[in-house]
Amino acid sequence: MEELYSLNSEVDVFYDDKNPRLAYVKRYCDKKYLFWLGLINVLVILIIDIFIL
């Protein structure tokens, strides 16, 4: 965990008030290429669909 989060960094922590053992830290996902790949895929499918109709 020390490698992912430096000292004094702020992170979002979610936990159950009734059972604090059930907790997790919202992690950062460094996979922006998947977003752009998905967006390009959707746009290509939309353009193909428009030309078919």
Side-chain angles (χ1 to χ4, degrees):
M1 289 297 282
E2 290 179 17
E3 294 174 7
L4 293 175
Y5 304 105
S6 61
L7 198 59
N8 296 326
S9 63
E10 294 184 12
V11 294
D12 294 327
V13 178
F14 300 93
Y15 65 95
D16 185 5
D17 291 334
K18 296 175 185 172
N19 188 1
R21 289 181 139 199
L22 298 176
Y24 68 95
V25 175
K26 186 175 182 182
R27 299 186 329 181
Y28 173 72
C29 180
D30 192 21
K31 304 216 183 296
K32 292 180 183 177
Y33 69 90
L34 290 176
F35 168 76
W36 291 110
L37 183 65
L39 181 64
I40 291 170
N41 190 17
V42 167
L43 292 175
V44 167
I45 291 172
L46 181 65
I47 291 170
I48 291 172
D49 189 41
I50 288 173
F51 282 123
I52 290 174
L53 292 177

